[in-house]
Amino acid sequence: MQHDLKRPHGASDVTFSGVSRRKGNKMGLLSILRKLKSTPDQEVRILLLGLDNGGKTTLLKQLASEDISHITPTQGFNIKSVQSQGFKLNVWDIGGQRKIRPYWRNYFENTDVLIYVIDSADRKRFEETGQELAELLDEEKLSGVPVLIFANKQDLLTAAPASEIAEGLNLHTIRDRMWQIQSCSALTGEGIQEGMNWVCKSVNSKKK
Amino acid sequence: MKHFLRVVTQFFVFLYCKCLWRGLKFVVRRLTGRCELQRICYNNKPGARRTLKIESSMRYSKYELLQSALSIHPDKVEKTINDIMALKKINPDTNPQLGISLQASLLQIVGYRSLMAAVEKLRREPYDCENTEHENMLMKLWKELRPDTPLTGRISKQWCEIGFQGNDPKTDFRGMGLLGLQNLLYFAEHDKPTALQMLQDSLQPKHNELNNPDWEQKNPDKAIGYSFAIVGINITDLAYSLLVSGALKTHLYNVAPEMPSLQHFQQTFCYLMQEFHRFWIEEDPSDIMEFNRVRSKFHRRILRQLKNPDMALCPHFAASDLHLVNM
């Protein structure tokens, strides 16, 4: 610092900012390396919920780059681990059938991120899906857990846009947690990466 | 370098074994005066034991004719067998049984392939509400499973009673398409007592919880057991993957004397449903959330059973239903 101060004003500014930036970069790289080393794969627990036929299992298989051509209705749950951006994402996909919904609560504990999947083309059940989501957001065990809403099935012509769904669900009234709505198609894979980027980002900012 | 040398050594070992194998075959052929296909037919009884060996012998044959015979059209089987007999210089007059045996085995082999194609086609056909044939099948399924209760409408909560997820079964067929519906209907029509029993069991609360006096207060709507139709669609997936992986060859070569048909596949489905139900009760899972664990354990068990070349997955039909099966 002293060394820098002795220099003429103009030059000092340039050098100073230059050095600091370079220093910053180094720090960034080092800290990333250190982070990678100390936490080889930081585990993240993700809960995938939503009504039946929303596309949860397709999304899960798409995340794990598996074949999505013969998916059957989920009895119980599926779980898969996916590596992404230095995280080990443990994704729990729980069946959405009305009969199974009472079991959802058994999986709330230690959830880092909640992903709620909506069939954007199933307008008849928007109210039902909104109710289920509202109930989830009221759950004590899920308080403060960031929520990502996937407005799925955007490949269908009849799909409602994400903005319309966000309005219908009154998402803007959520104040107690981070939330995001992302339009996607689990079938084509469109929009999923963007959503998962948000998930990783929100985990990072939560850890800080 | 080390790695390279290892690869080269492995290559030579492979060549050596191949020469040794060919040489051994040549010597045995000279000694017995029979070619490998003949020896397989004479030493193994008809069924999976014989056909599986013939299949692998043909696949690894040095003759193009034998390799390609595995994927010919069923109509050309007879001619191909004649060609093979000529190629192998086998006199049909002194070996009258051989041609017939080989033909039966080859029909099983190519039949398995065409069954796979037929099943795949059904699976890829999505359920279509506009298609009256599909709609009729669905309605028929209801009538078979709920003969005394009329359906109040095409879209109805009643569908949940037979184990669909919501008020329109359409979305539940998903990746299994029409194959799922056809299997369920076949099961309900041809093995009605088991289907109805399964359905009834699936709607009952679990027996040991029933004995618990405060069960009702604790879990008022926790009907235990699984959803019949959904389980049927999941077991369809199981049967489909057994077929595609080739594991069902053992069973189908044992039960179908010639070409296996769709009916054989549907009967296998009935067997899997019966067995899964029994397995589920045996395993005594605490709730439906254990479904996938039980299912994969069941899958492994079936795979293990199919390793035995004498295994056949025959459903136990009630005597009163047998005439329907044989129709």
Side-chain angles (χ1 to χ4, degrees):
Chain A
M1 284 294 253
Q2 269 181 350
H3 176 77
D4 277 326
L5 282 174
K6 275 178 196 163
R7 291 188 167 202
H9 259 314
S12 132
D13 267 3
V14 173
T15 337
F16 187 72
S17 61
V19 166
S20 80
R21 198 182 298 142
R22 216 173 297 139
K23 219 175 176 179
N25 279 352
K26 233 183 215 164
M27 282 291 283
L29 198 64
L30 266 178
S31 61
I32 287 169
L33 281 176
R34 204 173 298 138
K35 229 184 204 170
L36 281 177
K37 218 175 167 188
S38 62
T39 51
D41 28 5
Q42 191 186 346
E43 297 210 13
V44 177
R45 183 184 162 103
I46 296 178
L47 199 53
L48 209 55
L49 297 176
L51 302 191
D52 52 282
N53 198 38
K56 296 177 290 298
T57 307
T58 310
L59 183 74
L60 179 76
K61 297 230 170 182
Q62 190 70 263
L63 282 176
S65 312
E66 284 179 19
D67 181 20
I68 53 166
S69 71
H70 33 85
I71 283 172
T72 52
T74 307
Q75 281 276 275
F77 67 94
N78 301 300
I79 175 171
K80 289 204 187 301
S81 290
V82 190
Q83 296 286 346
S84 175
Q85 304 179 17
F87 290 113
K88 185 182 175 202
L89 308 176
N90 296 321
V91 189
W92 296 70
D93 156 36
I94 322 283
Q97 185 185 359
R98 188 179 283 277
K99 207 172 125 187
I100 292 184
R101 286 179 215 160
Y103 293 95
W104 283 1
R105 61 181 64 252
N106 300 351
Y107 299 84
F108 289 164
E109 211 117 8
N110 300 322
T111 296
D112 293 304
V113 179
L114 171 66
I115 298 182
Y116 194 78
V117 184
I118 293 176
D119 176 352
S120 312
D122 190 5
R123 290 166 192 262
K124 276 187 210 145
R125 294 207 291 170
F126 277 178
E127 203 188 318
E128 187 183 345
T129 199
Q131 246 164 26
E132 291 290 348
L133 178 62
E135 273 176 40
L136 286 172
L137 297 183
D138 277 343
E139 287 287 343
E140 202 180 318
K141 280 183 183 165
L142 289 176
S143 69
V145 171
V147 58
L148 168 67
I149 292 133
F150 265 129
N152 192 20
K153 305 205 184 177
Q154 292 295 328
D155 52 293
L156 296 177
L157 285 174
T158 50
S163 54
E164 190 188 318
I165 292 175
E167 208 169 305
L169 296 181
N170 285 325
L171 292 183
H172 56 272
T173 59
I174 302 177
R175 294 265 181 267
D176 55 344
R177 67 185 80 221
M178 286 189 284
W179 63 272
Q180 168 87 348
I181 183 159
Q182 170 70 47
S183 55
C184 81
S185 161
L187 204 66
T188 65
E190 217 179 308
I192 291 179
Q193 197 49 54
E194 287 86 338
M196 294 320 283
N197 287 345
W198 183 85
V199 166
C200 293
K201 217 174 73 195
S202 65
V203 171
N204 268 332
S205 60
K206 215 178 118 194
K207 293 271 144 95
K208 277 170 201 165
Chain B
M1 192 61 197
K2 222 174 179 179
H3 183 68
F4 177 72
L5 276 177
R6 196 183 306 148
V7 171
V8 170
T9 334
Q10 274 174 355
F11 178 69
F12 279 109
V13 168
F14 167 74
L15 269 189
Y16 177 71
C17 291
K18 201 168 171 179
C19 289
L20 209 66
W21 176 241
R22 288 242 186 275
L24 193 70
K25 267 172 67 166
F26 178 78
V27 171
V28 177
R29 174 165 192 165
R30 286 287 128 157
L31 284 177
T32 60
R34 290 172 182 164
C35 75
E36 193 182 22
L37 289 178
Q38 277 174 297
R39 293 198 303 274
I40 293 172
C41 285
Y42 284 119
N43 296 336
N44 297 282
K45 61 178 171 59
R49 270 183 194 278
R50 182 189 284 175
T51 304
L52 285 171
K53 279 184 182 153
I54 287 181
E55 194 172 0
S56 87
S57 164
M58 286 171 81
R59 177 167 300 128
Y60 299 113
S61 166
K62 60 185 169 189
Y63 297 111
E64 167 69 24
L65 173 68
L66 271 81
Q67 287 173 24
S68 61
L70 293 175
S71 48
I72 52 159
H73 191 270
D75 295 343
K76 293 207 176 113
V77 164
E78 201 174 343
K79 188 184 168 298
T80 311
I81 293 298
N82 291 339
D83 291 349
I84 291 175
M85 303 270 278
L87 178 79
K88 294 270 177 187
K89 299 194 187 72
I90 301 166
N91 184 352
D93 296 327
T94 51
N95 297 289
Q97 186 55 40
L98 183 71
I100 299 167
S101 304
L102 279 181
Q103 195 173 325
S105 284
L106 191 56
L107 269 174
Q108 287 185 319
I109 294 167
V110 297
Y112 191 90
R113 284 179 75 102
S114 49
L115 175 62
M116 244 159 66
V119 166
E120 181 65 20
K121 196 173 158 229
L122 273 176
R123 187 187 73 76
R124 282 177 183 271
E125 188 171 351
Y127 183 86
D128 179 9
C129 297
E130 314 273 289
N131 188 326
T132 47
E133 211 178 303
H134 294 187
E135 287 282 295
N136 288 342
M137 276 166 71
L138 189 61
M139 291 304 169
K140 213 166 160 195
L141 181 67
W142 175 266
K143 276 185 206 132
E144 291 290 343
L145 293 173
R146 285 259 174 234
D148 306 323
T149 323
L151 198 63
T152 52
R154 168 62 181 78
I155 308 284
S156 159
K157 273 230 162 77
Q158 286 175 294
W159 289 113
C160 295
E161 291 172 26
I162 59 170
F164 284 103
Q165 293 198 96
N167 50 16
D168 187 356
K170 176 186 83 169
T171 58
D172 287 339
F173 294 112
R174 299 193 199 164
M176 287 299 124
L178 219 52
L179 186 67
L181 178 56
Q182 280 206 357
N183 271 348
L184 277 172
L185 189 57
Y186 187 92
F187 184 46
E189 278 183 327
H190 293 86
D191 193 10
K192 207 167 187 168
T194 317
L196 291 179
Q197 185 64 48
M198 259 181 97
L199 178 59
Q200 204 195 338
D201 289 355
S202 75
L203 295 172
Q204 296 300 317
K206 244 178 79 166
H207 45 90
N208 56 6
E209 281 172 359
L210 256 188
N211 299 337
N212 192 342
D214 56 8
W215 180 81
E216 267 179 65
Q217 287 141 29
K218 263 190 196 161
N219 309 300
D221 57 355
K222 196 166 153 186
I224 211 59
Y226 40 67
S227 304
F228 176 78
I230 299 302
V231 166
I233 292 165
N234 271 290
I235 296 297
T236 297
D237 181 46
L238 180 76
Y240 170 78
S241 66
L242 287 174
L243 180 75
V244 171
S245 71
L248 268 192
K249 279 178 183 175
T250 322
H251 159 67
L252 288 174
Y253 291 168
N254 279 330
V255 295
E258 287 190 345
M259 295 221 333
S261 65
L262 197 59
Q263 209 187 20
H264 287 111
F265 179 73
Q266 286 164 332
Q267 285 177 16
T268 310
F269 172 75
C270 294
Y271 172 85
L272 291 173
M273 286 295 269
Q274 292 175 349
E275 285 301 300
F276 182 77
H277 186 54
R278 190 176 310 163
F279 189 70
W280 179 269
I281 292 168
E282 252 173 49
E283 281 286 302
D284 195 28
S286 59
D287 58 45
I288 187 62
M289 301 316 274
E290 293 199 56
F291 180 80
N292 278 329
R293 181 188 67 77
V294 176
R295 182 192 184 277
S296 46
K297 195 170 172 188
F298 179 68
H299 191 172
R300 285 196 300 273
R301 191 164 103 152
I302 295 287
L303 282 177
R304 222 171 24 245
Q305 288 177 344
L306 286 170
K307 288 244 164 71
N308 171 9
D310 294 322
M311 186 66 195
L313 311 175
C314 290
H316 313 284
F317 287 129
S320 58
D321 288 314
L322 271 179
H323 70 282
L324 280 166
V325 176
N326 294 330
M327 247 159 51

